[in-house]
Amino acid sequence: MQGRADCPYYAKTELLADYLQKNLPDFQIYKITQHPDVWEEWLKGVCEKNKWNHKKSPIIWRELLDRGGKGLLLGGYNEFLEHAQLYYDVTSNMMTELMMVIAQENLEAHIEKELEKETQKDLISPLQVWITSATSPACYNLLPILMSGEVFGMQTEISLTLFDKEQSEELLKSLVMETQDLASPVLRSVSSCTTEKYAFHQAHVVIVLDDSTEEEVYGLEECLRSKVPLCRLYGHLIEKNAHESVRVIVGGKTFVNLKTVLLMMNAPSIAHNIIAVALGVEGQAKAAVARKLKTTASCIKDVIIWGNISGNNYVDLRKTRVYKYDSAIWGPPEFSRPVLDVIFDSEWVKREFVMTIKSLTSTGKQFGRILASHSIATTLKYWYHGSPPGEIVSLGVLSEGQFGIPEGIVFSMPVKFENGTWVVLTDLPDVEISQQIMTRMTSDLIQEKLVALGDMLTFQPYHSETELSLRDRRLSLASTDDKQEEQNDHQDSIFSDQAPDDEKDAVLSDEST
């Protein structure tokens, strides 16, 4: 007997079946419920398989064991009541109100049972985690964090696969042994892979690190185009081999936004589950502010990173607050103050702070090992378990037009993680960005994408109208100087042509000397 979990007629049939099974020694019944969302599809499949014609819940059939388990359809609710009345002289007098109560209890019990099954399934089937460019320094620092159980939880076992180029096979074997030596209670297995066609098989999590290359790249444009083949390969392999619910996280210090959008283009079915890590830049900004205030970086919250994570970005301190700050105003641990109200040196914010973050971002300094791995691990932890309540987190996601950002580019913006996903915080007050700053950031990201795909030949850095005006002025002054120099040369030439022969000889003599 099978029925929709919330069906009152199934509840009444179930009660009658229980009574018959209790009082008749040779009477046995097997009861299975289906969730309302899948009931119709399930019923259609069963009827097609057995060539039955039945449309409603419940469905009851006899399994003829003497005929190899062949099913004989009895029918539904009415047919079962007639069968019980005819063969056993038993009927059911359950009231409608009680039927509805039992139906609701059945649904709740079914949902609880399914959740328990999923939990047991997770214990039996470990989380499949793949790391690309596994011999990179960032991976060495990431592995102990993943094995600590802090990212996915101590109840989630991990099956780890380290993926890299074929020439890295010996290094990968050594890394596998080191990981096993950690004796982590959450590690079910660890292996290596260098064969592309097997990459990301049934992966639940894919961590994309910076790819190391021995080929020499000339110029920015060639460097941008060099990202396309690998992202195209990874995208196709993830689309083909990974689990349908796979989560892909892109970290690194070069072209993070570009690599993320290229992966999305080549893995369209899971594009919504591909994100870029921005917590590294956020951490650098928090540390810079903390050093200025002579406090710890963990006391700085709600720094927003806008734009290109590994390039032209904007560090927004307008929502940033400092906690546990030793000043004239003091309060409980949850008390905080706006950072911009505490830092009185506005010139430091406008100049030194901006230049410090710009230097760290453009050069990739301090972002190859500890910071990169910690940023990836923390982002994954938030993705699975939620970010701290009320806290703003920066994340590189595909723009859907939020904040006036053009669609189709990956842009770092404020989000919160909850219920296994992320939500862009579009309701934050007073976070509007000036058109000039927005154009500067989006222009570079759009051009990176166009150049990488071959739709634009050269990358043209964005210049504001003020910068263009100053440049034009410099060019104008340079042009005037060139004209003056050209005029002086012309005059010298005239004088030389008109000079007596003995003067010309004197000049030649001096030059020869």
Side-chain angles (χ1 to χ4, degrees), residues 297-329:
S298 62
C299 295
I300 310 298
K301 308 287 186 183
D302 302 337
V303 174
I304 303 175
I305 308 300
W306 299 93
N308 193 342
I309 297 165
S310 52
N312 211 340
N313 54 45
Y314 171 55
V315 181
D316 192 347
L317 300 180
R318 288 175 294 176
K319 295 294 177 184
T320 308
R321 305 186 71 85
V322 56
Y323 292 76
K324 303 177 184 177
Y325 185 56
D326 188 7
S327 65
I329 303 175

Side-chain angles (χ1 to χ4, degrees), residues 257 260-261 264 271-278 305 307 309 383 393-403 405-415 417 422-425 445:
N257 297 55
T260 306
V261 77
M264 290 175 175
H272 61 286
N273 262 5
I274 304 177
I275 60 174
V277 178
I305 308 300
I309 297 165
W383 202 350
V393 178
S394 300
L395 184 70
V397 299
L398 188 66
S399 169
E400 297 178 354
Q402 306 98 324
F403 307 105
I405 303 165
E407 296 183 18
I409 58 174
V410 169
F411 201 90
S412 179
M413 56 184 83
V415 306
F417 287 92
W422 45 267
V423 179
V424 178
L425 298 175
L445 285 170

Side-chain angles (χ1 to χ4, degrees), residues 55-67:
K55 304 291 184 183
K56 297 179 180 179
S57 171
I59 179 172
I60 301 110
W61 70 88
R62 293 177 62 194
E63 298 217 341
L64 306 177
L65 299 179
D66 58 338
R67 301 184 190 177

Side-chain angles (χ1 to χ4, degrees), residues 462-479:
Y462 171 77
H463 295 286
S464 65
E465 293 181 5
T466 304
E467 291 171 329
L468 290 172
S469 177
L470 289 171
R471 187 181 69 175
D472 291 342
R473 185 179 175 188
R474 287 195 296 268
L475 289 172
S476 177
L477 290 171
S479 177

Side-chain angles (χ1 to χ4, degrees), residues 316 318-319 428-432:
D316 192 347
R318 288 175 294 176
K319 295 294 177 184
L428 290 176
D430 305 322
V431 294
E432 293 79 9

Side-chain angles (χ1 to χ4, degrees), residues 13 16-17 20 24 26-29 60-64 72-92:
T13 308
L16 179 58
L20 292 173
L24 299 174
D26 296 329
F27 185 92
Q28 288 186 335
I29 190 161
I60 301 110
W61 70 88
R62 293 177 62 194
E63 298 217 341
L64 306 177
L72 176 65
L73 179 66
L74 289 181
Y77 163 73
N78 290 326
E79 289 79 8
F80 185 70
L81 258 63
E82 291 175 3
H83 178 83
Q85 179 72 40
L86 179 62
Y87 284 92
Y88 309 113
D89 195 26
V90 176
T91 188
S92 174

Side-chain angles (χ1 to χ4, degrees), residues 235-396:
H236 289 327
L237 290 171
I238 291 171
E239 182 91 354
K240 178 183 176 182
N241 298 339
H243 192 272
E244 59 182 8
S245 64
V246 64
R247 304 182 187 192
V248 182
I249 184 166
V250 184
K253 58 183 179 181
T254 58
F255 305 111
V256 177
N257 297 55
L258 175 64
K259 290 187 292 187
T260 306
V261 77
L262 290 175
L263 284 171
M264 290 175 175
M265 292 172 64
N266 291 285
S269 69
I270 52 99
H272 61 286
N273 262 5
I274 304 177
I275 60 174
V277 178
L279 289 187
V281 184
E282 188 179 310
Q284 290 173 334
K286 288 178 179 179
V289 171
R291 285 192 291 269
K292 179 66 175 177
L293 295 177
K294 294 181 173 56
T295 185
T296 57
S298 62
C299 295
I300 310 298
K301 308 287 186 183
D302 302 337
V303 174
I304 303 175
I305 308 300
W306 299 93
N308 193 342
I309 297 165
S310 52
N312 211 340
N313 54 45
Y314 171 55
V315 181
D316 192 347
L317 300 180
R318 288 175 294 176
K319 295 294 177 184
T320 308
R321 305 186 71 85
V322 56
Y323 292 76
K324 303 177 184 177
Y325 185 56
D326 188 7
S327 65
I329 303 175
W330 190 254
E334 63 272 13
F335 174 73
S336 65
R337 299 179 64 189
V339 158
L340 294 180
D341 289 352
V342 177
I343 299 179
F344 301 105
D345 189 353
S346 60
E347 285 300 309
W348 178 86
V349 175
K350 294 177 183 177
R351 298 183 183 280
E352 187 177 336
F353 173 71
V354 172
M355 292 306 298
T356 298
I357 302 303
K358 185 176 180 180
S359 173
L360 292 172
T361 303
S362 61
T363 60
K365 287 181 179 177
Q366 302 176 0
F367 201 73
R369 298 172 181 269
I370 300 175
L371 182 57
S373 55
H374 182 267
S375 304
I376 292 168
T378 304
T379 304
L380 275 173
K381 180 181 178 181
Y382 289 170
W383 202 350
Y384 273 84
H385 304 291
S387 52
E391 191 169 320
I392 300 172
V393 178
S394 300
L395 184 70

